[in-house]
Amino acid sequence: MTTTRFAPSPTGRLHVGNIRTALHNWMLAKKGGAKEQGRFMLRIDDTDAERSKEEYVEAIRTDLAWLGISPDGEERQSARMALYEAAFEKLREAGRVYPAYETAQELEVKRKILLSRGLPPIYDRGALEMSEADRAAKEAEGIAPHWRFKLDHDEPITWEDGVRGSQKFDPAQLSDPVIRRADGSWLYMLPSAVDDIDMGVTDVLRGEDHVSNTAVQIQMFTALGAQPPSFAHEALLVGKEGKLSKRLGSLGCDAFREQGYEPEAIVALLARLGTSLPVEPIAEREKLLETFDLSTFGRAPAKFDDNELHRINAAIVHQMPFEKVRGFVPDDFTEAAWHAIRPNLEKASEVVEWWQIVTGPIEQPEFSEDDREYLGEAARQLDFDADDPWHALTGALKESTGRKGKALFLPLRQALTGMNHGPDMGELLPLIGEDEARERLTRAANG
Ligand code: GLU
């Protein structure tokens, strides 16, 4: 069974990049359909006690629920420290972690020297040269060590990446990563591997920025006696003018919700952005799942464009069933009203303004003498016994006044709705109703 996970750090709200990663992991787990239903797990990466906030944990859960990406289980790293401790002991006994005493400044100097010689800034394993006495001396000075994972340099690290294809890393070209700080706290690398093993994660799908972490973590899985999961790294998301990071705040899940975007629109867009499949306003998740395939993911950065979200959102609203809006429209708002108004909306919430046009009061523009006379005529000709009062009215007025085109339609629309454009009048007029329509026409005629 496929098990995937989404592992956010609760240090802020979910932004569009996180949502995309969560969605793709959910899709990877669920794409088999009901028969081969995989598991999608939420893992809260809250080892950084200072920056992690409970309100963000709550917000992550709320955001995922709003998007309809529901986890099949949740784990929190802060509750799993004993597991990391045990793994650490195991690696220590096997000689795969070692204490190091360099200060941040010393490491920086080493880095600069290597860079100035045109060499890659790889950690020189100076700590491995230390004798027992050297270490005792450091401890006596009150300097506690941080801990590094010792990479095995014997063989290249290889994997078949779900997006990037064959990957190969020479471990000697990587620094032994620091996995634990001097104060005992954990860096991301080891706990993540421990959890992936313990949670039975079969597929790790994450951003391209994690590729070199994967090389290191593959050795951790092996050192802990586990088979590494399958890995896939998707290209990063960028904005239409380049980097997204600056604007991420404005592209958070909360902002999308406040701006009235439908979760279906966000999901439809992010599901296929950066893939070779066309981005389409597909509201049914099943349909998106059917076509989900890592082999369609491109290597070039995916471009997020809010105009595209806007377009997809409008198209989703235009096909949205009445049940979806029932919750936020007035009781007397009917399904027919929804169908009349729906094609004019970009956001579903705008329906409230349109309904206001139906129920009134509306504000009319100033009309010319000529138009006032015309609208008076319209008030007299209005006939709700006709099958289609709007076409009956405009047909009769065309006959009696000789007006056509804009001169025929626009004053009527302005008098009846106060607007220059909007929903189809044939559908709108019956919703406004006979008395109210006649009152509006008469009012316009009287100026
Ligand atoms: N908490 C890590 C991050 O947000 C998780 C990375 C991973 O998926 O392993 O970058």
Side-chain angles (χ1 to χ4, degrees):
M1 182 168 73
T2 302
T3 299
T4 64
R5 80 326 189 253
F6 171 51
S9 306
T11 54
R13 297 292 299 241
L14 294 186
H15 59 66
V16 65
N18 306 133
I19 297 171
R20 173 167 170 258
T21 306
L23 175 67
H24 288 166
N25 274 286
W26 179 83
M27 294 181 89
L28 187 59
K30 305 298 171 183
K31 71 167 194 248
K35 280 192 277 64
E36 297 165 55
Q37 198 68 252
R39 287 189 311 158
F40 165 72
M41 305 291 288
L42 173 61
R43 187 184 83 202
I44 303 288
D45 281 6
D46 58 351
T47 52
D48 184 340
E50 217 151 274
R51 293 179 57 227
S52 299
K53 298 245 164 9
E54 207 48 39
E55 64 181 279
Y56 293 131
V57 176
E58 279 301 327
I60 288 167
R61 293 187 190 123
T62 311
D63 289 347
L64 290 179
W66 181 70
L67 291 160
I69 304 175
S70 44
D72 299 302
E74 181 185 310
E75 297 289 349
R76 292 183 70 143
Q77 290 198 320
S78 57
R80 301 165 63 81
M81 296 292 176
L83 278 169
Y84 312 145
E85 204 64 61
F88 180 78
E89 279 314 317
K90 188 170 166 180
L91 293 177
R92 189 150 82 150
E93 274 161 32
R96 294 301 297 273
V97 296
Y98 60 91
Y101 295 85
E102 294 94 342
T103 63
Q105 258 168 340
E106 282 165 345
L107 290 171
E108 190 50 31
V109 170
K110 289 189 192 202
R111 248 175 68 84
K112 288 219 169 106
I113 292 173
L114 287 169
L115 286 172
S116 71
R117 291 190 195 142
L119 295 169
I122 303 166
Y123 175 60
D124 64 4
R125 293 188 156 175
L128 285 176
E129 313 289 308
M130 292 172 81
S131 66
E132 202 54 59
D134 294 335
R135 282 196 286 271
K138 289 283 184 191
E139 305 277 340
E141 280 177 53
I143 303 174
H146 54 273
W147 298 83
R148 288 187 186 260
F149 177 74
K150 190 175 166 204
L151 289 166
D152 177 354
H153 286 185
D154 288 349
E155 274 176 44
I157 304 165
T158 60
W159 76 93
E160 196 54 38
D161 193 282
V163 175
R164 300 163 62 86
S166 282
Q167 301 290 298
K168 188 169 176 180
F169 275 78
D170 174 3
Q173 296 302 311
L174 300 169
S175 294
D176 288 339
V178 176
I179 56 167
R180 197 171 195 179
R181 299 185 190 88
D183 65 3
S185 63
W186 299 101
L187 281 108
Y188 148 80
M189 213 77 90
L190 181 65
S192 179
V194 169
D195 289 337
D196 286 339
I197 296 169
D198 188 66
M199 292 163 68
V201 171
T202 59
D203 293 75
V204 173
L205 169 57
R206 54 190 179 185
E208 199 169 67
D209 48 332
H210 282 287
V211 169
S212 61
N213 290 343
T214 294
V216 167
Q217 285 176 324
I218 282 178
Q219 283 211 358
M220 288 182 180
F221 282 103
T222 313
L224 291 166
Q227 173 77 29
S230 299
F231 284 96
H233 297 85
E234 51 185 352
L236 297 181
L237 198 60
V238 296
K240 50 178 193 286
E241 15 359 62
K243 249 184 135 45
L244 199 60
S245 51
K246 274 184 283 164
R247 296 179 51 237
L248 281 184
S250 63
L251 299 171
C253 211
D254 48 342
F256 286 143
R257 195 167 10 185
E258 270 161 36
Q259 289 163 32
Y261 287 111
E262 301 301 321
E264 285 81 4
I266 295 163
V267 165
L269 175 60
L270 294 180
R272 290 186 170 183
L273 199 63
T275 74
S276 56
L277 301 167
V279 172
E280 293 167 334
I282 301 175
E284 304 81 27
R285 252 305 129 146
E286 289 305 317
K287 266 203 194 159
L288 289 171
L289 285 176
E290 273 166 27
T291 54
F292 181 83
D293 185 347
L294 286 181
S295 71
T296 64
F297 280 51
R299 295 282 302 268
K303 267 208 182 93
F304 178 84
D305 177 350
D306 357 22
N307 294 328
E308 199 170 15
L309 175 60
H310 208 82
R311 180 176 68 75
I312 296 287
N313 193 76
I316 295 261
V317 171
H318 298 166
Q319 36 165 308
M320 193 180 274
F322 182 50
E323 293 77 68
K324 281 265 188 183
V325 292
R326 198 170 257 157
F328 64 87
V329 291
D331 288 344
D332 54 349
F333 187 92
T334 59
E335 184 155 5
W338 174 241
H339 285 267
I341 293 171
R342 183 173 77 165
N344 296 277
L345 308 178
E346 293 189 325
K347 310 261 178 75
S349 56
E350 292 161 3
V351 70
V352 178
E353 294 155 40
W354 284 113
W355 187 236
Q356 165 82 39
I357 288 168
V358 171
T359 57
I362 58 148
E363 225 171 279
Q364 294 167 328
E366 293 252 343
F367 292 101
S368 67
E369 183 80 46
D370 205 24
D371 279 348
R372 288 215 302 271
E373 201 173 301
Y374 169 63
L375 292 166
E377 174 71 9
R380 285 187 293 278
Q381 300 258 7
L382 194 64
D383 175 12
F384 264 65
D385 290 334
D387 279 348
D388 179 344
W390 173 251
H391 288 100
L393 175 67
T394 50
L397 286 169
K398 196 173 175 181
E399 282 278 304
S400 64
T401 66
R403 287 194 180 217
K404 52 185 192 234
K406 198 171 158 191
L408 178 71
F409 296 111
L410 188 61
L412 294 173
R413 179 182 282 284
Q414 288 174 328
L416 288 165
T417 68
M419 314 270 292
N420 292 334
H421 29 219
D424 182 76
M425 289 302 299
E427 294 183 66
L428 204 60
L429 186 57
L431 298 172
I432 295 172
E434 183 168 7
D435 293 346
E436 177 69 16
R438 181 162 292 115
E439 191 280 321
R440 289 182 193 180
L441 291 169
T442 311
R443 179 150 55 98
N446 295 339

